[in-house]
């Protein structure tokens, strides 16, 4: 069964017909040609498909497009504005926080979402619950970024990049 | 330019997600192919009913052995797709559904009814099978067995003997970008956007299978989302994609393997059983080294991992022996995974060295230094350069090794046993013949460099640009590099850490030819070619890279949970082209080595012949939280013999030895010797209960 929906992707309204079975990831990639979110597992196990959906980090292979009519989506491509990279993106380049780059757009969207969560005081499994605010130590960053796998093993650079961007 | 930490030239494209991987190239109105897989491990297909699938709205074709085109060559059994009714392993490709959308293709694939006449299969891997056989050679063409002196007598006479069996499990490469292909037949030309480590080698394999002139196939791969060996050779789905495209002339067909399908179709590291025996004097000096390896291959295609190779080159001992035996089973075809041979083959021996150090009451760094050979023990040739000792010493200094207490199980902090361990790394220097490069001066004043190489995350875009700029004595922004396309001059596969050695040498050769011909004031259109030069130094020297890895490990006394708070590697790998991307190569290898140590294990259900933990939720790889303090360093090493650039290759050595260093540290922490990877919590608890 097909449905017509509208997605606001990186600042542009896009109308698209989707099968009821179409994931948001496939709607973006295969129907709209928005290739920044990557498909690494299609099962919510790797994080490479992460985007910001209404300002929150979401893995798009686990949500159905038809359930998100009208949603506001920012991909890694949309984080860069007028040739200016987002500070998190620049930090990833500075610290070589990637090799093949396939997990990278997901890592970056996840990091941007994570920084907001930390700023809002959301605790993680390693947070000091007595503390008034979240201090983004390397251990905090590692914990909060562990939903994004990197088979190239660029974690050391990723953590350094996020620390730089958080400053 | 060479030696400067230039940020990746493809960085902006990668951080914005605009770098195009295979599945992402724009093609008009594509169709989607979804593979069908066998659900028995051995037997024949007796009937295949596709009518329900074909009746689904949007299904364009169902391809099976009944209607598939005849292949020109079935010599490579893995690529002999849909040529008969025979099933050789569970998960084998038995067809494909092609449809207008991926959702439809996948749904219809579930409607295809297949009947089988199953035969009894055998997927039980044990070292005591009575049908183990001796392969002619081991990958790619090393002698299967070697022997020097008299190992048995030497072991009998040795005051100290270490004699244990070590095992490494079946593991899967799992690059984050799944294997994907977009194929299009147009006017008798086949164009493929493929996720491959070698566009030219992929074209050759496919041309042979399909019986086409290679010129009629074009393979394009500007960016590849990792491979680690699994994308180094063509696999069945590539032929399937070509067949699907053939069924739909003029229309591009997209085929992406799912993560689950990758566990049976794109190769894996064979499980290994390593019987290691070391004989030594009380002072730790080795008298005998023996390593007998048993591993698995598939019944239809042999892959003999060269696991005992590093034992032939690492340490001096007058009496030596190595053997490889294989069990041919009804299982998927094993293949290359990062540092085949060296990676598993440095687990057993490097843990055994730690056991020997304990037995002799020696420091494990000192033991390795003591047994450093003057020449390559295998060939008797001198090493072109060998700086293992320098790596051990520098690593020990940086790690703070001197403060280590000798006895295991002596340090306990807040409920955790804490220990440290060391292991050596090594990897051969490969330079592959057969790459060519073109340098052309452009009207815009830049130099265009063309070579059909690939960047699988290794940094080829950046490193080759630096090499070209250096060879032409121009700034990097005067270089316009083109790679990843068979329309470019031939280049060898990105494998065996040979890429920069081979392609870089061709680029240097082309640049020299260009300057010789046109000097420093060329005209637009001037061009010159170069190739990877032959190197006779291999006849005079043994050439290998070396390294040392140090690990700190904590094992929870109550739960057995194991963590690696510190990992430090020092490598001697010749000249470093780009320190920034090189560090990432080392850290990436070490991280994958930690992943191997702690997590990775494909569990094959012998009853059905498939990997049960076939996804990333159950096949665990290292996550961010697994990696804490991790450092990579290198010693200055100038080796004029390896190739004109002086590089040794850096993509694989980082994974070699890591698991042994971690296992040795875990023993130092707990006193429990785990000889079977991965080092899961149960192994520390089971032993502790004794
Ligand atoms: S593709 Fe969505 S989590 Fe892996
Ligand atoms: S950069 Fe390759 S998977 Fe992360």
């Amino acid at each position: 069964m097909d449905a017509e929906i509208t997605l606001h992707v990186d600042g542009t309204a896009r109308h698209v017909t989707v099968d009821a079975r179409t994931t948001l990831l496939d709607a973006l990639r295969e129907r709209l040609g928005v290739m920044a979110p990557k498909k690494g597992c299609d099962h919510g196990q790797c994080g490479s498909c992460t985007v910001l959906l209404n300002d929150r980090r979401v893995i798009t292979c686990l949500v159905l497009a038809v359930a998100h009519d009208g949603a506001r989506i920012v991909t890694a491509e949309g984080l860069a504005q007028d040739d200016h990279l987002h500070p998190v993106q620049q930090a990833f380049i500075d610290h070589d926080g990637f090799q093949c780059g396939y997990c990278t757009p997901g890592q970056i969207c996840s990091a941007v979402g994570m920084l907001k969560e930390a700023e809002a005081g959301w605790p993680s499994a390693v947070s000091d619950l007595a503390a008034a605010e979240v201090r983004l130590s390397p251990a905090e960053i590692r914990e909060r970024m562990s939903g994004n796998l990197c088979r190239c093993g660029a974690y050391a650079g990723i953590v350094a990049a996020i620390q730089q961007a958080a400053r | 330019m060479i030696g400067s930490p230039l940020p990746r030239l493809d960085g902006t494209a990668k951080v914005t997600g605009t770098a195009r991987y295979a599945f992402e190239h724009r093609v008009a109105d594509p169709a989607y192919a979804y593979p069908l897989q066998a659900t028995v491990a051995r037997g024949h297909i007796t009937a295949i009913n596709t009518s329900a699938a074909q009746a689904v709205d949007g299904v364009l074709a169902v391809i099976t052995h009944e209607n598939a085109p005849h292949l020109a060559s079935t010599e490579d059994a893995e690529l002999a797709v849909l040529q008969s009714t025979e099933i050789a392993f569970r998960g084998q490709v038995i067809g494909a559904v092609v449809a207008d959308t991926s959702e439809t293709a996948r749904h219809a694939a579930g409607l295809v009814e297949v009947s089988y006449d199953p035969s009894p299969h055998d997927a039980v891997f044990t070292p005591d099978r009575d049908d183990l056989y001796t392969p002619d050679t081991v990958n790619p063409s090393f002698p299967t067995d070697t022997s020097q002196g008299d190992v048995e007598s030497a072991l009998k006479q040795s005051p100290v003997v270490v004699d244990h069996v070590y095992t490494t499990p079946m593991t899967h490469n799992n690059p984050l970008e799944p294997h994907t292909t977009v194929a299009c037949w147009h006017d008798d030309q086949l164009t493929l956007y493929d996720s491959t480590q070698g566009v030219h080698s992929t074209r050759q394999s496919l041309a042979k299978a399909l019986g086409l002139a290679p010129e009629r196939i074009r393979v394009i791969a500007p960016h590849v989302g990792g491979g680690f060996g699994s994308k180094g050779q063509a696999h069945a789905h590539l032929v399937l994609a070509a067949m699907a495209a053939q069924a739909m002339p003029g229309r591009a067909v997209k085929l992406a393997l799912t993560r689950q399908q990758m566990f049976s179709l794109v190769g894996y590291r064979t499980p290994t059983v390593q019987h290691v025996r070391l004989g030594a004097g009380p002072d730790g000096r080795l008298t005998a080294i023996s390593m007998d390896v048993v591993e698995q291959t598939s019944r239809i295609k042999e892959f003999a991992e060269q696991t005992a190779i590093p034992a032939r080159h690492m340490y001096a001992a007058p009496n030596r022996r190595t053997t490889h035996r294989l069990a041919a089973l009804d299982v998927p075809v094993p293949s290359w995974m990062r540092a085949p041979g060296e990676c598993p083959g440095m687990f057993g021996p490097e843990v055994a060295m730690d056991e020997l150090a304990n037995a002799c009451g020696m420091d494990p760094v000192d033991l390795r230094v003591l047994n450093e050979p003057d020449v390559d023990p295998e060939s008797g040739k001198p090493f072109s350069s060998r700086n293992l000792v320098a790596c051990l010493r520098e690593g020990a200094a940086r790690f703070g090794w001197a403060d280590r207490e000798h006895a295991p199980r002596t340090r306990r902090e807040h409920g955790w046993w804490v220990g440290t361990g060391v292991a050596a790394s090594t990897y051969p220097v490969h330079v592959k013949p057969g790459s060519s490069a073109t340098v052309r001066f452009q009207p815009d004043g830049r130099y265009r460099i063309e070579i059909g190489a690939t960047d699988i995350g290794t940094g080829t875009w950046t490193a080759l640009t630096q090499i070209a700029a250096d060879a032409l004595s121009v700034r990097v922004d005067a270089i316009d590099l083109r790679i990843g396309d068979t329309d470019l001059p031939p280049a060898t596969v990105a494998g065996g850490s040979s890429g920069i050695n081979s392609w870089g040498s061709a680029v240097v050769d082309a640049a020299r030819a260009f300057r010789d011909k046109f000097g420093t004031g060329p005209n637009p259109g001037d061009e010159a070619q170069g190739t990877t030069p032959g190197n006779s130094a291999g006849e005079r020297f043994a050439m290998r890279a070396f390294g040392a890895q140090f690990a700190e490990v904590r094992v929870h006394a109550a739960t057995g949970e194991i963590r690696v708070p510190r990992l430090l590697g020092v490598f001697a790998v010749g000249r470093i082209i780009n320190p920034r991307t090189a560090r990432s190569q080392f850290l990436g290898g070490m991280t994958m080595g930690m992943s191997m140590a702690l997590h990775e294990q494909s569990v094959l259900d012998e009853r059905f012949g498939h990997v049960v933990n076939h996804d990333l939720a159950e096949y665990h790889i290292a996550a961010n939280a697994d990696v804490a303090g991790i450092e990579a360093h290198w010693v200055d090493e100038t080796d004029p013999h390896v190739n004109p650039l002086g590089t040794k290759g850096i993509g694989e050595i980082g994974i070699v030895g890591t698991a042994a260093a971690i296992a040795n540290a875990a023993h130092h922490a707990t006193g429990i010797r785990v000889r079977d990877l991965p080092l899961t919590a149960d192994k520390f608890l089971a032993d502790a209960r004794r």
Side-chain angles (χ1 to χ4, degrees):
Chain A
M1 199 186 73
D2 286 349
E4 178 96 29
I5 62 168
T6 302
L7 298 171
H8 300 271
V9 184
D10 293 333
T12 308
R14 307 283 300 268
H15 308 289
V16 58
T17 304
V18 292
D19 190 308
R21 298 166 296 191
T22 306
T23 62
L24 183 55
L25 178 60
D26 280 344
L28 290 167
R29 282 172 66 86
E30 301 306 321
R31 313 249 165 167
L32 293 173
V34 176
M35 295 296 184
K38 306 300 182 197
K39 185 185 281 190
C41 70
D42 217 18
H43 274 54
Q45 300 168 345
C46 76
S48 65
C49 62
T50 307
V51 303
L52 298 166
L53 175 67
N54 301 332
D55 290 332
R56 302 260 298 263
R57 52 176 172 163
V58 164
I59 43 181
T60 51
C61 68
L62 282 194
V63 299
L64 293 170
V66 70
H68 290 276
D69 189 12
R72 235 173 352 99
I73 291 160
V74 177
T75 72
E77 189 172 1
L79 283 174
Q81 301 241 303
D82 316 320
D83 287 349
H84 285 296
L85 293 179
H86 186 280
V88 172
Q89 291 173 318
Q90 186 59 51
F92 266 66
I93 294 178
D94 294 345
H95 294 273
D96 211 37
F98 56 95
Q99 289 203 272
C100 78
Y102 200 74
C103 72
T104 312
Q107 300 275 4
I108 285 169
C109 288
S110 186
V112 171
M114 180 277 277
L115 290 172
K116 275 200 198 126
E117 292 162 15
E119 202 178 300
W122 296 13
S124 81
V126 300
S127 298
D128 174 5
L129 295 180
E133 32 181 75
V134 174
R135 198 184 63 82
L136 276 181
S137 65
E140 273 284 358
I141 294 172
R142 284 181 213 125
E143 174 66 24
R144 290 167 187 261
M145 290 300 293
S146 278
N148 291 82
L149 297 177
C150 176
R151 186 55 159 164
C152 296
Y155 298 125
I158 291 168
V159 172
I162 295 172
Q163 276 189 290
Q164 172 180 314
R167 259 179 238 132
Chain B
M1 273 61 73
I2 289 186
S4 86
L6 189 67
R8 273 173 214 270
L9 298 175
D10 49 352
T12 298
K14 284 183 170 172
V15 299
T16 54
T18 53
R20 292 244 180 260
Y21 300 85
F23 216 62
E24 303 174 352
H25 290 271
R26 287 192 202 289
V27 286
D29 189 29
Y32 292 82
Y34 189 84
L36 303 168
Q37 292 178 280
T39 55
V40 300
R42 188 168 182 180
H44 285 86
I45 297 172
T46 52
I48 189 156
N49 182 351
T50 62
S51 52
Q54 254 155 344
V56 174
D57 201 22
V59 169
L60 303 168
V62 182
I63 304 167
T64 69
H65 68 276
E66 290 176 351
N67 59 359
H70 186 71
L71 291 173
S73 168
T74 53
E75 190 185 315
D76 182 340
E78 189 184 353
L79 301 184
V81 177
L82 309 185
Q83 299 301 293
S84 78
T85 58
E86 195 191 334
I87 304 300
F89 61 90
R90 189 179 167 120
Q92 179 184 319
V93 167
I94 56 166
V97 175
V98 187
D100 280 328
T101 69
S102 62
E103 293 85 0
T104 303
R106 195 162 181 168
H107 166 64
L111 301 177
V112 175
E113 291 164 24
V114 188
S115 311
Y116 301 94
D117 175 17
S119 333
H121 70 272
D122 185 352
V124 182
F125 175 62
T126 63
D128 43 19
R129 293 177 63 105
D130 59 11
D131 60 350
L132 299 177
Y133 76 97
T134 309
D136 292 342
T137 57
V138 292
N139 178 57
S141 54
F142 292 110
T144 305
D145 297 348
T146 56
S147 165
Q148 290 171 31
D150 182 350
V151 161
E152 301 306 328
S153 319
L155 284 169
K156 260 187 225 117
Q157 289 156 19
S158 294
V160 186
V161 173
V162 171
D163 181 342
H164 290 293
V165 173
Y166 305 84
T167 67
T168 63
M170 179 189 207
T171 54
H172 278 78
N173 308 52
N174 275 313
L176 204 65
E177 180 205 16
H179 292 237
T180 55
T181 301
V182 181
C184 187
W185 278 95
H186 200 72
D187 294 339
D188 270 356
Q189 279 286 128
L190 174 61
T191 304
L192 296 149
Y193 298 97
D194 190 41
S195 187
T196 174
Q197 291 173 223
V199 287
H200 285 279
S201 55
T202 294
R203 169 162 86 169
Q204 285 300 341
S205 301
L206 197 58
K208 183 169 178 195
L210 300 180
L212 287 178
E215 303 75 58
R216 286 176 57 198
I217 303 176
R218 182 176 175 196
V219 181
I220 300 168
H223 299 286
V224 181
F228 315 108
S230 67
K231 295 172 182 170
Q233 287 166 308
H235 297 292
H237 67 278
L238 185 73
V239 177
L240 189 66
M243 285 178 170
Q246 211 163 6
M248 292 320 78
R251 190 165 180 189
V253 175
K254 303 180 78 169
L255 188 156
L257 292 185
T258 64
R259 181 61 56 183
Q260 289 76 6
Q261 288 166 342
M262 284 167 61
F263 281 80
S264 38
L265 290 174
V266 296
Y268 58 92
R269 178 151 12 242
T270 179
T272 74
V273 176
Q274 312 173 9
H275 182 199
V276 180
R277 293 177 298 165
L278 303 176
D283 60 348
R285 196 172 291 279
L286 286 164
T287 52
I289 299 173
S290 170
M291 181 167 185
D292 299 295
V293 178
V294 181
E295 45 204 17
Q296 96 184 17
T297 185
S298 72
R299 190 167 50 82
I300 54 163
K301 180 177 171 182
E302 180 183 285
F303 177 74
E305 182 142 354
Q306 69 274 38
T307 304
I309 292 286
R312 298 177 185 174
H313 305 282
M314 280 306 293
Y315 301 111
N319 303 288
R320 342 176 44 94
R321 152 201 163 97
T322 61
T323 67
H324 295 87
R325 297 294 176 266
L326 296 183
L329 304 176
D330 300 308
V331 294
V333 183
S335 181
W336 303 332
M337 180 165 168
R338 202 174 197 168
E342 269 71 16
C343 174
M346 284 289 275
F347 177 68
E350 286 298 301
V351 175
M353 285 296 277
D354 202 63
E355 303 207 48
L356 180 62
N358 283 334
C360 298
M362 278 184 82
D363 180 279
V365 170
D366 294 341
L367 177 73
R368 287 173 172 82
V369 173
L370 176 75
N371 286 292
E372 178 73 359
D374 297 329
V375 293
D376 175 31
E378 164 85 357
S379 64
K381 294 178 205 168
F383 284 97
S384 61
S385 56
R386 173 171 169 131
N387 284 299
L388 172 58
V389 172
C391 293
L392 286 163
R393 294 237 156 91
E394 176 157 348
R398 287 181 180 272
F399 192 77
W401 187 257
D403 308 334
R404 184 185 196 247
E405 49 304 272
H406 258 304
R409 204 176 175 93
T410 48
R411 191 165 147 209
R412 191 167 159 160
E413 293 171 6
H414 312 292
W416 295 80
W417 293 108
V418 185
T420 53
V422 64
S425 309
T426 185
Y427 197 78
V429 179
H430 290 304
V431 182
K432 293 194 178 138
S435 295
S436 311
T438 298
V439 176
R440 188 179 317 115
F441 192 60
Q442 301 184 146
D444 66 359
R446 300 204 302 157
Y447 294 83
R448 179 146 162 166
I449 313 293
E450 298 186 338
I451 180 166
T454 46
D455 190 330
I456 60 173
T458 46
T460 309
W461 280 107
T462 313
L464 281 188
T465 298
Q466 287 176 268
I467 289 167
D470 194 82
L472 289 164
S473 301
V474 297
R475 293 156 46 102
V476 286
D477 53 14
I479 300 296
D480 177 11
L481 176 72
R482 302 300 164 98
I483 61 170
D485 190 335
T486 49
D487 277 359
L488 303 171
T492 49
V493 68
S497 298
S498 68
I500 289 305
N501 302 345
S502 314
W503 312 325
S505 300
V507 167
V508 169
D509 192 52
R512 282 184 190 154
F514 185 93
R515 284 291 184 237
D516 285 350
K517 230 162 138 184
F518 306 110
T520 49
N523 293 312
D526 286 349
E527 72 169 56
Q529 273 81 31
T531 55
T532 308
N535 186 2
S536 62
E539 290 156 25
R540 285 174 286 135
F541 295 106
M543 300 192 213
R544 298 185 77 85
F546 291 90
Q549 301 204 34
F550 294 79
E552 179 180 319
V553 161
R554 296 176 167 247
V555 179
H556 197 274
T559 66
E561 180 184 354
I562 172 167
R563 310 284 303 164
V564 184
R566 277 202 305 149
L567 204 52
L568 184 147
V570 180
F571 302 95
V573 290
R575 192 172 181 205
I576 294 290
I577 303 294
N578 181 325
R580 183 190 303 256
T581 53
R583 175 165 283 111
S584 292
Q585 284 277 63
F586 295 131
L587 294 179
M590 292 163 67
T591 300
M592 202 182 257
M594 173 197 288
S595 187
M596 168 191 181
L598 302 185
H599 303 302
E600 295 188 36
Q601 177 171 26
S602 304
V603 180
L604 190 99
D605 188 329
E606 294 160 353
R607 296 168 303 166
F608 304 106
H610 74 304
V611 172
V612 286
N613 56 335
H614 61 179
D615 61 36
L616 294 175
E618 295 180 87
Y619 182 94
H620 290 174
I621 64 171
N624 203 321
D626 287 318
V627 180
I630 184 165
E631 288 177 41
H633 305 274
W634 47 90
V635 298
D636 279 335
E637 187 176 76
T638 307
D639 188 328
H641 306 295
V642 282
N643 61 58
L645 286 163
T647 56
K648 286 186 167 179
I650 58 174
E652 286 161 282
I653 192 167
I655 198 178
V656 179
T658 325
I662 291 171
N664 294 342
H667 172 263
H668 186 236
T670 61
I672 297 166
R673 182 64 74 180
V674 179
R675 302 186 182 92
D676 306 292
L677 288 178
L679 305 171
T680 44
D682 53 311
K683 292 173 184 162
F684 295 98
L685 292 179
D687 211 296
R689 273 202 302 268
R690 274 208 314 248

